[in-house]
């Protein structure tokens, strides 16, 4: 998840997903080795090739005076909430293109802000187009995307970019990513990752006013920022042969696949476990069933979750046992604690076919 992008104002970091690029990480590793051998200290690495060049981003104030023409929507396999759109058909409108993928918690946290902008400025000429570009294979399925659009109450047009053609046309690298386009079709502002909602809304207002609309009143949204604890929370942790780094320990009959680990057979009760030490307030997982629903026992520090500690996907029964039912490919909310702290999370599936993709965290 476009993990951390260092920025110079208001918050210590940005949160979002970044597309996995094996070649990029090989290059970064080579550079890091060279730096170590030279005795230098690496302070920060930021990928400079993300997104269209020549436009302002959330790291600077104000809009660019000009910008490149926005690429058209390319290779779209389905449209939700709209007939097919083109950039030419949207001339005269202010367009916010939002790249997202439905199992990304960083993307989900942007939905309330996008919804407020859609409700407030749609009548004044703002068009939001959500471009759903998948991170995992199951996110390419149009039925899954359609269900997510309904479940999350997304009312603006959604372009299903299952082959990443529009993503590549924009040279995008992040989930979420916003490209703000003026009435003439030029990209004037970009923002990668969570945050800068107030700045983005001010730029929406500026472009709407420039296109002849009278915008008055306070901003629809306030930017809550990111807590200081977020700088020390556990980073997103993948499993599978493509990106797994061994942080998650597996006990039992697990089969490693490129994107996930799958429990293939069930042993004695409680013997099939995925364990991860972490630091955060909230814990989420991306998971899926291979066939039918799978019940997963969820504990922290060897104990069941209390109702006040359980994420929204977890059920705590009358006996105090905390479980989550994984019945479709999605993001599941596991833990929600009042304070930032360190714990051991353990998952114990009760049926075979449980697929675990990644853990992500919130503070």
């Amino acid at each position: 998840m476009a993990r951390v992008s260092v920025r110079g104002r208001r918050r210590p970091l940005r949160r979002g997903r970044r597309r996995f690029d094996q070649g990029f990480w090989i290059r970064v590793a080579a550079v890091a080795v060279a730096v170590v051998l030279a005795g230098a200290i690496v302070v920060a690495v930021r990928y400079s090739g993300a997104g269209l060049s020549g436009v302002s981003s959330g790291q600077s104030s104000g809009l660019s005076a000009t910008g490149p023409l926005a690429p058209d929507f390319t290779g779209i396999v389905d449209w939700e909430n709209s007939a097919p759109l083109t950039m030419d058909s949207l001339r005269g409108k202010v367009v916010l293109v939002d790249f997202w993928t439905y199992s990304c918690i960083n993307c989900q946290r942007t939905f309330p802000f996008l919804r407020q902008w859609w409700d407030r400025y749609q009548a004044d000429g703002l068009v939001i187009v959500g471009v759903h570009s998948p991170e995992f294979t199951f996110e390419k399925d149009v039925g899954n995307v359609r269900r997510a659009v309904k479940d999350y109450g997304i009312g603006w047009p959604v372009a299903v970019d299952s082959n990443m053609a529009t993503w590549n046309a924009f040279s995008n690298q992040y989930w979420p990513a916003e490209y703000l386009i003026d009435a003439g079709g030029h990209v004037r502002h970009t923002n990668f990752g969570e945050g800068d909602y107030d700045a983005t809304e001010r730029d929406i207002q500026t472009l709407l006013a420039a296109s002849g609309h009278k915008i008055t009143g306070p901003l629809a949204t306030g930017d809550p920022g990111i807590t200081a604890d977020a700088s020390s929370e556990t980073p997103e942790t993948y499993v599978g042969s493509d990106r797994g780094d061994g942080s998650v320990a597996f006990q039992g009959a697990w089969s490693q696949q490129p994107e996930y680990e799958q429990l293939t057979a069930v042993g004695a009760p409680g013997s099939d476990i995925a364990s991860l030490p972490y630091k955060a307030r909230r814990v989420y997982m991306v998971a899926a069933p291979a066939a039918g629903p799978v019940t997963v026992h969820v504990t922290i520090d060897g104990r069941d979750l209390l109702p006040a500690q359980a994420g929204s996907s977890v059920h705590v029964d009358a006996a105090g046992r905390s479980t989550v039912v994984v019945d479709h490919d999605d993001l599941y909310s596991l833990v929600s604690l009042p304070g930032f702290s360190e714990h051991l999370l353990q998952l114990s599936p009760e049926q075979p076919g449980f697929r675990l993709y990644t853990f992500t965290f919130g503070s």
Side-chain angles (χ1 to χ4, degrees):
M1 288 180 179
R3 250 276 208 250
V4 173
S5 166
V6 178
R7 45 174 308 154
R9 62 185 176 88
R10 288 203 310 111
R11 56 172 63 82
L13 54 82
R14 299 172 61 83
R15 294 194 297 200
R17 279 186 177 171
R18 175 190 179 136
R19 189 183 183 195
F20 174 63
D21 179 348
Q22 187 177 40
F24 168 75
W25 290 114
I26 291 172
R27 294 191 296 273
V28 170
V31 171
V33 170
V35 169
V36 170
L37 291 175
I41 298 175
V42 177
V43 177
V45 175
R46 186 171 188 268
Y47 183 54
S48 62
L52 296 173
S53 61
V55 296
S56 73
S57 73
Q59 291 181 290
S60 61
S61 59
L63 289 164
S64 292
T66 186
L69 278 173
D72 211 345
F73 304 110
T74 303
I76 300 304
V77 302
D78 182 60
W79 283 88
E80 296 296 320
N81 301 330
S82 174
L85 299 172
T86 66
M87 286 299 174
D88 283 344
S89 72
L90 294 170
R91 290 290 187 271
K93 302 282 189 179
V94 173
V95 180
L96 181 66
V97 174
D98 170 61
F99 283 92
W100 67 292
T101 190
Y102 79 80
S103 75
C104 170
I105 185 60
N106 311 95
C107 301
Q108 292 180 19
R109 285 194 285 246
T110 67
F111 292 162
F113 303 97
L114 293 169
R115 187 172 297 109
Q116 289 182 61
W117 299 337
W118 178 248
D119 291 342
R120 179 167 181 178
Y121 301 114
Q122 180 187 3
D124 295 319
L126 175 69
V127 177
I128 297 176
V129 180
V131 178
H132 184 276
S133 302
E135 178 174 20
F136 298 112
T137 300
F138 64 77
E139 291 173 311
K140 297 180 180 181
D141 184 271
V142 172
N144 286 346
V145 179
R146 191 170 292 151
R147 187 201 68 241
V149 168
K150 180 180 178 181
D151 288 349
Y152 295 118
I154 296 172
W156 49 91
V158 173
V160 183
D161 183 34
S162 294
N163 299 314
M164 309 294 281
T166 297
W167 171 288
N168 290 329
F170 274 77
S171 299
N172 188 48
Q173 290 289 328
Y174 293 95
W175 297 277
E178 278 74 48
Y179 294 81
L180 187 59
I181 301 164
D182 66 19
H186 295 87
V187 180
R188 300 284 298 281
H189 174 89
T190 61
N191 194 71
F192 304 123
E194 297 178 61
D196 279 330
Y197 304 112
D198 50 356
T200 298
E201 186 176 2
R202 280 194 294 270
D203 289 344
I204 290 171
Q205 291 184 339
T206 298
L207 291 183
L208 287 172
S211 63
H213 297 278
K214 185 178 181 180
I215 305 298
T216 60
L219 299 179
T221 57
D223 189 344
I226 294 175
T227 66
D229 293 332
S231 61
S232 57
E233 78 181 18
T234 300
E236 181 167 14
T237 304
Y238 290 89
V239 300
S241 58
D242 278 351
R243 286 180 280 183
D245 64 0
S247 296
V248 181
F250 292 94
Q251 178 182 328
W254 296 83
S255 173
Q256 187 180 67
Q257 303 299 318
E259 291 187 336
Y260 59 83
E261 296 271 354
Q262 177 173 325
L263 183 66
T264 58
V266 175
S271 63
D272 305 300
I273 300 172
S275 302
L276 175 69
Y278 75 91
K279 293 180 181 179
R281 285 182 173 84
R282 292 177 292 278
V283 183
Y284 309 86
M285 72 172 177
V286 176
V294 177
T295 299
V296 181
H297 187 205
V298 183
T299 64
I300 53 172
D301 304 326
R303 296 184 294 274
D304 283 286
L305 294 165
L306 299 173
Q309 300 172 321
S312 59
S313 303
V314 172
H315 172 68
V316 181
D317 65 20
R321 196 164 188 268
S322 50
T323 59
V324 57
V325 176
V326 176
D327 56 5
H328 63 286
D329 316 308
D330 213 338
L331 180 84
Y332 293 83
S333 174
L334 300 181
V335 180
S336 182
L337 301 177
F340 184 88
S341 49
E342 184 174 2
H343 300 280
L344 176 67
L345 174 72
Q346 292 187 306
L347 306 179
S348 182
E350 297 179 359
Q351 297 87 27
F354 172 67
R355 292 177 176 174
L356 175 64
Y357 289 78
T358 183
F359 291 105
T360 188
F361 306 88
S363 295

